[in-house]
Amino acid sequence: MTEAKWAFEVPGKLEIPYRYFAGTFSSRWFRALRDEKKILGCRCPTCRKVFVPPRGNCERCLSKIEEWVELPGTGTVESFTVVRYAEPFQPHKPPLVLAAIKLDGADSSLIHLLGGVPPDQVQVGQRVKAVFAEERKGRITDISHFAPAAEAKKKAEYKKPVVQKTRAKPQAKVKGKVKKPAAKKPVKKTAAKKQAAQKKAVKKIVRKSKRSR
Ligand SMILES: [Zn+2]
């Protein structure tokens, strides 16, 4: 334990194995992964948004969702991070890439592993496709990973892919361009200035009083 000035810093270690009930609705999603190698999305009856992973109620308008749509299993990397340390719960040795993937036909993103591409070559905007595991158990890892899909046509609305390496540069440029306004020096009123101001004020009062007479 280390003692700081105001608070204690206590080192700890936490590992919590847990199970959760997927529910009858979301269980359909896992069955499709395991038995059909299909990624389903669920569509809100009111706002028509498609969500992956599925949810029983729309996160936007709270409507009850019951409709399933089959998605092609292709998508686009929206963002990603490179994990460079080992954890017992990670399915692969580091470095591994975790990406937020916007599946074609979906309005939400799915977080999953990205494989088949060196971490330094992953790009935002990159087209990817789902690769299913040989042995599937009705879990999210039934999708082994997402791999680059050169053959998956780019959508019209795709912006030019941004390479992670160069991300910091535009920020630096912006910082350089936007100059902080120079801090105004506090104006110190000298005794002489104060006196002059007081005299002016007195003159004004005198003038006014003369007019009113
Ligand atoms: Zn909705």
Side-chain angles (χ1 to χ4, degrees), residues 1-144:
M1 192 187 289
T2 55
E3 193 174 341
K5 194 178 179 183
W6 301 108
F8 293 108
E9 194 179 90
V10 186
K13 207 172 187 181
L14 207 61
E15 190 181 352
I16 310 171
Y18 70 96
R19 290 165 184 263
Y20 75 96
F21 179 59
T24 50
F25 183 71
S26 290
S27 293
R28 168 80 183 90
W29 192 74
F30 286 106
R31 270 203 307 280
L33 287 183
R34 184 190 64 188
D35 304 338
E36 303 165 66
K37 288 208 241 177
K38 281 178 183 171
I39 302 175
L40 300 182
C42 64
R43 183 186 280 145
C44 172
T46 310
C47 68
R48 309 302 290 166
K49 299 289 180 192
V50 174
F51 301 105
V52 184
R55 54 215 68 181
N57 288 82
C58 179
E59 66 180 24
R60 309 193 187 197
C61 71
L62 305 178
S63 300
K64 185 170 174 55
I65 301 178
E66 291 176 311
E67 185 189 350
W68 292 102
V69 288
E70 193 182 318
L71 303 176
T74 50
T76 308
V77 174
E78 276 201 318
S79 64
F80 66 94
T81 187
V82 182
V83 181
R84 298 185 188 276
Y85 57 90
E87 287 285 4
F89 52 79
Q90 283 166 0
H92 303 292
K93 285 181 180 176
L96 49 90
V97 182
L98 284 174
I101 295 153
K102 182 96 172 279
L103 288 167
D104 295 340
D107 293 288
S108 63
S109 297
L110 179 70
I111 306 290
H112 215 297
L113 291 161
L114 206 60
V117 56
D120 62 349
Q121 286 176 28
V122 179
Q123 294 181 350
V124 169
Q126 191 165 17
R127 297 289 289 152
V128 291
K129 63 178 177 184
V131 178
F132 285 87
E134 287 291 316
E135 192 188 348
R136 296 178 304 281
K137 299 172 181 176
R139 292 175 189 171
I140 186 67
T141 46
D142 285 359
I143 303 169
S144 163

Side-chain angles (χ1 to χ4, degrees), residues 142-183:
D142 285 359
I143 303 169
S144 163
H145 61 279
F146 281 80
E151 69 272 24
K153 285 179 184 174
K154 285 189 175 183
K155 283 184 179 177
E157 67 264 32
Y158 287 156
K159 288 176 183 173
K160 195 179 175 184
V162 179
V163 183
Q164 194 190 27
K165 278 180 180 176
T166 58
R167 256 187 207 164
K169 283 182 182 175
Q171 272 190 342
K173 274 183 184 175
V174 171
K175 273 184 183 175
K177 276 181 184 175
V178 182
K179 283 183 182 176
K180 281 185 180 178

